[in-house]
Amino acid sequence: MGCLKNVIRAIILTLAIAGFFSLGGKDLVSGLLKDYFNPSQDVMLERAKKVGDFSKINDEFELEKAAGIMGYNAVVAEHKASGQKMFVIDSKDKTILTAEDIKSPNVEEKLQNAMKKVKYQAFSVEDLKVTKHGTMYSYGNVVPYAKFEAKVKKLPVGDIGGVVSVAKTSDGQSRLLISANEKNKYSQLISEEFFKKIK
């Protein structure tokens, strides 16, 4: 008797699922999954608001991710033509780097210590060298940056070039800014164009 009950339940469930899909359920489910895994830029901009206002960035940039990464709220963007990546990280109460760290003469040591704080198992950075200090514009202020070169292990990229900076929001919170690309493809102009549009 119990076995017959289970067979009847299975038949009813199968018919219910078949009915759902025949009434357009497949399109509904695939649309929901697509929106969840590949959200539109409008959805990404809404999610990114926790980290900053990205609504003024140019069409040449695409927000790829706005979510928790390694325990921090972060936004990941890409320059479509070059593949250069930009990261904006809200470290909340867990300060990774400060503007003073970026300006300090021992910034390489500070960067090495920061990388230890946010160890990421998928790759590791070695032979990090700071090649230049400067300033750029982000979150409505002039912010210091350190330009760097490094070797990346466990990724097919190899040598990378980039910039790291720290900006303050209007309410005094810190944002870690990182932009990187393959060493011979990195562009400081692309980094500055992206970061200056964030408020």
Side-chain angles (χ1 to χ4, degrees), residues 60-74:
E60 62 192 283
F61 298 99
E62 180 177 37
L63 295 184
E64 291 185 333
K65 188 170 188 163
I69 299 172
M70 298 178 285
Y72 304 98
N73 282 331

PDB file of all heavy atoms in Angstrom, residues 60-74:
ATOM      1  N   GLU A  60      32.912  51.722 -21.934  1.00  0.00           N
ATOM      2  CA  GLU A  60      34.068  50.872 -22.235  1.00  0.00           C
ATOM      3  C   GLU A  60      34.418  49.955 -21.060  1.00  0.00           C
ATOM      4  O   GLU A  60      35.230  49.048 -21.203  1.00  0.00           O
ATOM      5  CB  GLU A  60      35.271  51.710 -22.648  1.00  0.00           C
ATOM      6  CG  GLU A  60      35.769  52.657 -21.559  1.00  0.00           C
ATOM      7  CD  GLU A  60      36.768  53.677 -22.070  1.00  0.00           C
ATOM      8  OE1 GLU A  60      37.937  53.299 -22.268  1.00  0.00           O
ATOM      9  OE2 GLU A  60      36.364  54.836 -22.260  1.00  0.00           O
ATOM     10  N   PHE A  61      33.782  50.183 -19.913  1.00  0.00           N
ATOM     11  CA  PHE A  61      33.988  49.344 -18.732  1.00  0.00           C
ATOM     12  C   PHE A  61      32.726  48.539 -18.452  1.00  0.00           C
ATOM     13  O   PHE A  61      31.617  49.008 -18.680  1.00  0.00           O
ATOM     14  CB  PHE A  61      34.294  50.198 -17.495  1.00  0.00           C
ATOM     15  CG  PHE A  61      35.547  51.004 -17.620  1.00  0.00           C
ATOM     16  CD1 PHE A  61      35.492  52.348 -17.970  1.00  0.00           C
ATOM     17  CD2 PHE A  61      36.790  50.430 -17.399  1.00  0.00           C
ATOM     18  CE1 PHE A  61      36.641  53.107 -18.089  1.00  0.00           C
ATOM     19  CE2 PHE A  61      37.951  51.168 -17.515  1.00  0.00           C
ATOM     20  CZ  PHE A  61      37.882  52.516 -17.861  1.00  0.00           C
ATOM     21  N   GLU A  62      32.926  47.338 -17.931  1.00  0.00           N
ATOM     22  CA  GLU A  62      31.787  46.492 -17.577  1.00  0.00           C
ATOM     23  C   GLU A  62      31.974  45.982 -16.152  1.00  0.00           C
ATOM     24  O   GLU A  62      33.034  45.458 -15.802  1.00  0.00           O
ATOM     25  CB  GLU A  62      31.711  45.301 -18.535  1.00  0.00           C
ATOM     26  CG  GLU A  62      30.560  44.371 -18.236  1.00  0.00           C
ATOM     27  CD  GLU A  62      30.461  43.232 -19.239  1.00  0.00           C
ATOM     28  OE1 GLU A  62      31.499  42.721 -19.696  1.00  0.00           O
ATOM     29  OE2 GLU A  62      29.322  42.846 -19.539  1.00  0.00           O
ATOM     30  N   LEU A  63      30.938  46.158 -15.335  1.00  0.00           N
ATOM     31  CA  LEU A  63      30.970  45.596 -13.991  1.00  0.00           C
ATOM     32  C   LEU A  63      30.748  44.093 -14.115  1.00  0.00           C
ATOM     33  O   LEU A  63      29.762  43.656 -14.695  1.00  0.00           O
ATOM     34  CB  LEU A  63      29.890  46.219 -13.107  1.00  0.00           C
ATOM     35  CG  LEU A  63      30.017  47.707 -12.805  1.00  0.00           C
ATOM     36  CD1 LEU A  63      28.927  48.157 -11.844  1.00  0.00           C
ATOM     37  CD2 LEU A  63      31.378  48.063 -12.240  1.00  0.00           C
ATOM     38  N   GLU A  64      31.676  43.325 -13.577  1.00  0.00           N
ATOM     39  CA  GLU A  64      31.584  41.869 -13.669  1.00  0.00           C
ATOM     40  C   GLU A  64      31.003  41.246 -12.421  1.00  0.00           C
ATOM     41  O   GLU A  64      30.321  40.232 -12.481  1.00  0.00           O
ATOM     42  CB  GLU A  64      32.977  41.258 -13.903  1.00  0.00           C
ATOM     43  CG  GLU A  64      33.553  41.560 -15.245  1.00  0.00           C
ATOM     44  CD  GLU A  64      34.863  40.829 -15.474  1.00  0.00           C
ATOM     45  OE1 GLU A  64      35.572  40.525 -14.498  1.00  0.00           O
ATOM     46  OE2 GLU A  64      35.153  40.550 -16.634  1.00  0.00           O
ATOM     47  N   LYS A  65      31.328  41.841 -11.278  1.00  0.00           N
ATOM     48  CA  LYS A  65      30.888  41.244 -10.026  1.00  0.00           C
ATOM     49  C   LYS A  65      30.742  42.329  -8.982  1.00  0.00           C
ATOM     50  O   LYS A  65      31.550  43.243  -8.906  1.00  0.00           O
ATOM     51  CB  LYS A  65      31.919  40.208  -9.575  1.00  0.00           C
ATOM     52  CG  LYS A  65      31.497  39.393  -8.392  1.00  0.00           C
ATOM     53  CD  LYS A  65      32.451  38.238  -8.163  1.00  0.00           C
ATOM     54  CE  LYS A  65      31.867  37.354  -7.087  1.00  0.00           C
ATOM     55  NZ  LYS A  65      32.425  36.048  -7.023  1.00  0.00           N
ATOM     56  N   ALA A  66      29.697  42.237  -8.193  1.00  0.00           N
ATOM     57  CA  ALA A  66      29.497  43.124  -7.048  1.00  0.00           C
ATOM     58  C   ALA A  66      28.951  42.247  -5.940  1.00  0.00           C
ATOM     59  O   ALA A  66      27.773  41.939  -5.903  1.00  0.00           O
ATOM     60  CB  ALA A  66      28.522  44.249  -7.395  1.00  0.00           C
ATOM     61  N   ALA A  67      29.847  41.803  -5.087  1.00  0.00           N
ATOM     62  CA  ALA A  67      29.445  40.840  -4.062  1.00  0.00           C
ATOM     63  C   ALA A  67      30.513  40.736  -2.997  1.00  0.00           C
ATOM     64  O   ALA A  67      31.526  41.441  -3.047  1.00  0.00           O
ATOM     65  CB  ALA A  67      29.226  39.473  -4.717  1.00  0.00           C
ATOM     66  N   GLY A  68      30.312  39.824  -2.078  1.00  0.00           N
ATOM     67  CA  GLY A  68      31.325  39.544  -1.074  1.00  0.00           C
ATOM     68  C   GLY A  68      32.434  38.715  -1.685  1.00  0.00           C
ATOM     69  O   GLY A  68      32.178  37.694  -2.318  1.00  0.00           O
ATOM     70  N   ILE A  69      33.656  39.191  -1.545  1.00  0.00           N
ATOM     71  CA  ILE A  69      34.823  38.463  -2.045  1.00  0.00           C
ATOM     72  C   ILE A  69      35.827  38.384  -0.908  1.00  0.00           C
ATOM     73  O   ILE A  69      36.237  39.413  -0.372  1.00  0.00           O
ATOM     74  CB  ILE A  69      35.458  39.182  -3.262  1.00  0.00           C
ATOM     75  CG1 ILE A  69      34.465  39.288  -4.416  1.00  0.00           C
ATOM     76  CG2 ILE A  69      36.731  38.466  -3.702  1.00  0.00           C
ATOM     77  CD1 ILE A  69      34.946  40.131  -5.570  1.00  0.00           C
ATOM     78  N   MET A  70      36.214  37.178  -0.538  1.00  0.00           N
ATOM     79  CA  MET A  70      37.200  36.958   0.524  1.00  0.00           C
ATOM     80  C   MET A  70      36.818  37.670   1.828  1.00  0.00           C
ATOM     81  O   MET A  70      37.661  38.190   2.537  1.00  0.00           O
ATOM     82  CB  MET A  70      38.594  37.397   0.069  1.00  0.00           C
ATOM     83  CG  MET A  70      39.123  36.615  -1.120  1.00  0.00           C
ATOM     84  SD  MET A  70      40.740  37.164  -1.672  1.00  0.00           S
ATOM     85  CE  MET A  70      40.337  38.681  -2.519  1.00  0.00           C
ATOM     86  N   GLY A  71      35.524  37.769   2.098  1.00  0.00           N
ATOM     87  CA  GLY A  71      35.068  38.387   3.338  1.00  0.00           C
ATOM     88  C   GLY A  71      34.902  39.899   3.276  1.00  0.00           C
ATOM     89  O   GLY A  71      34.646  40.536   4.287  1.00  0.00           O
ATOM     90  N   TYR A  72      35.051  40.500   2.102  1.00  0.00           N
ATOM     91  CA  TYR A  72      34.923  41.942   1.934  1.00  0.00           C
ATOM     92  C   TYR A  72      33.872  42.220   0.864  1.00  0.00           C
ATOM     93  O   TYR A  72      33.691  41.436  -0.055  1.00  0.00           O
ATOM     94  CB  TYR A  72      36.247  42.558   1.476  1.00  0.00           C
ATOM     95  CG  TYR A  72      37.406  42.273   2.389  1.00  0.00           C
ATOM     96  CD1 TYR A  72      38.299  41.250   2.113  1.00  0.00           C
ATOM     97  CD2 TYR A  72      37.617  43.029   3.540  1.00  0.00           C
ATOM     98  CE1 TYR A  72      39.369  40.981   2.953  1.00  0.00           C
ATOM     99  CE2 TYR A  72      38.683  42.771   4.387  1.00  0.00           C
ATOM    100  CZ  TYR A  72      39.557  41.747   4.091  1.00  0.00           C
ATOM    101  OH  TYR A  72      40.609  41.480   4.928  1.00  0.00           O
ATOM    102  N   ASN A  73      33.178  43.372   0.957  1.00  0.00           N
ATOM    103  CA  ASN A  73      32.321  43.811  -0.141  1.00  0.00           C
ATOM    104  C   ASN A  73      33.236  44.350  -1.223  1.00  0.00           C
ATOM    105  O   ASN A  73      34.120  45.168  -0.942  1.00  0.00           O
ATOM    106  CB  ASN A  73      31.358  44.918   0.310  1.00  0.00           C
ATOM    107  CG  ASN A  73      30.191  44.367   1.089  1.00  0.00           C
ATOM    108  OD1 ASN A  73      29.781  43.232   0.885  1.00  0.00           O
ATOM    109  ND2 ASN A  73      29.661  45.157   1.996  1.00  0.00           N
ATOM    110  N   ALA A  74      33.027  43.910  -2.449  1.00  0.00           N
ATOM    111  CA  ALA A  74      33.918  44.331  -3.528  1.00  0.00           C
ATOM    112  C   ALA A  74      33.175  44.425  -4.847  1.00  0.00           C
ATOM    113  O   ALA A  74      32.147  43.781  -5.052  1.00  0.00           O
ATOM    114  CB  ALA A  74      35.082  43.353  -3.658  1.00  0.00           C
TER     115      ALA A  74
END
